[in-house]
Amino acid sequence: MLPTSINAIEAYSGANGILKKVKKGSLLIDSSTIDPMVSKELAKEVEKMGAVFMDAPVSGGVGAARSGNLTFMVGGVEEEFAAAQELLGCMGSNVVYCGAVGTGQAAKICNNLLLAISMIGTAEAMNLGIRLGLDPKLLAKILNMSSGRCWSSDTYNPVPGVMDGVPSANNYQGGFGTTLMAKDLGLAQDSATSTKSPILLGSQAHQIYRMMCAKGYSKKDFSSVFQFLREEETF
């Protein structure tokens, strides 16, 4: 599981890469979140070596990783899915076959596009409510019993002091970095361009997370968008 497409290409095709030593019949599972086209190209190279490549990006965050409850989105030859599922089931409670190589990446990119948008929305709603005089814990409780409820509000709330055990309770340390979210939104943007798909909110979310990286939030968890909004008085 590597951060970028370039890292994955190097791991497989570099001077000391996997393809230099891979044994025929091996099953190679890549859980990086990268460009679906890169996954497809790596699969072709692996196939030339007589091995099998599957893309299997994950969702669930650090908490799900610790508890073994990740969700794996798997792309590859369907006949090999049972073997991959047996391995990935040790780390995840949901292992879903998505289709050919690259479809796992497609599912992950769509998921993180929605996650970024919902996190920004949650942060904006919480910030507005606080400035209107609402207690943040009360507001979160109301949102989570109402139609605004989402994972960002009820499991990973971005407001410090609202929830324990999440990055916002630890100065936004740990979790899923802002740099990685910006990278994933870049993948979504590229995919949207290549498929002529409008992602109006996704493009705005990409711009926001890139701005955050430029303003010192790159190593903080992506939920620190709440802190960013609080500081950007003229945003």
Side-chain angles (χ1 to χ4, degrees):
M1 187 187 296
L2 298 168
T4 69
S5 296
I6 293 172
N7 298 139
I9 292 169
E10 178 66 21
Y12 277 87
S13 304
N16 297 307
I18 293 167
L19 292 173
K20 300 290 185 184
K21 300 178 181 179
V22 66
K23 294 179 181 179
K24 191 173 181 178
S26 295
L27 173 60
L28 307 178
I29 303 174
D30 179 31
S31 287
S32 311
T33 298
I34 57 176
D35 188 325
M37 295 306 297
V38 171
S39 292
K40 291 177 182 179
E41 289 302 316
L42 290 176
K44 289 179 183 177
E45 295 303 312
V46 168
E47 191 175 327
K48 290 177 184 177
M49 303 300 293
V52 176
F53 177 95
M54 303 190 91
D55 60 307
V58 304
S59 180
V62 173
R66 286 198 185 104
S67 62
N69 289 317
L70 290 166
T71 292
F72 286 88
M73 294 152 264
V74 186
V77 178
E78 190 170 7
E79 290 75 17
E80 301 291 342
F81 176 63
Q85 187 175 29
E86 184 177 352
L87 296 168
L88 299 177
C90 299
M91 298 177 282
S93 55
N94 299 300
V95 183
V96 183
Y97 181 69
C98 299
V101 169
T103 57
Q105 300 296 349
K108 176 60 186 293
I109 288 170
C110 291
N111 178 80
N112 277 22
L113 173 67
L114 179 56
L115 174 60
I117 294 168
S118 71
M119 180 56 77
I120 294 169
T122 300
E124 287 185 353
M126 293 294 297
N127 184 41
L128 177 60
I130 291 167
R131 290 186 177 186
L132 289 171
L134 288 167
D135 175 79
K137 285 189 176 182
L138 174 65
L139 177 55
K141 180 180 178 180
I142 292 168
L143 291 175
N144 293 334
M145 61 174 63
S146 303
S147 54
R149 183 182 64 84
C150 61
W151 188 85
S152 296
S153 68
D154 73 0
T155 303
Y156 212 82
N157 199 285
V159 180
V162 169
M163 295 182 68
D164 295 325
V166 293
S168 62
N170 188 35
N171 195 29
Y172 300 104
Q173 299 303 307
F176 187 64
T178 295
T179 298
L180 291 176
M181 180 55 87
K183 181 264 296 184
D184 287 358
L185 288 167
L187 294 174
Q189 189 73 70
D190 292 342
S191 297
T193 300
S194 66
T195 58
K196 297 187 170 90
S197 303
I199 54 165
L200 307 183
L201 295 180
S203 295
Q204 186 66 35
H206 186 207
Q207 182 178 355
I208 290 169
Y209 277 103
R210 287 172 64 193
M211 286 173 62
M212 289 174 64
C213 289
K215 295 199 171 189
Y217 288 82
S218 59
K219 294 184 179 180
K220 289 182 177 289
D221 181 77
F222 80 106
S223 62
S224 63
V225 66
F226 173 78
Q227 187 180 59
F228 174 71
L229 292 173
R230 296 281 283 183
E231 293 179 357
E232 291 293 312
E233 296 292 340
T234 59
F235 187 80

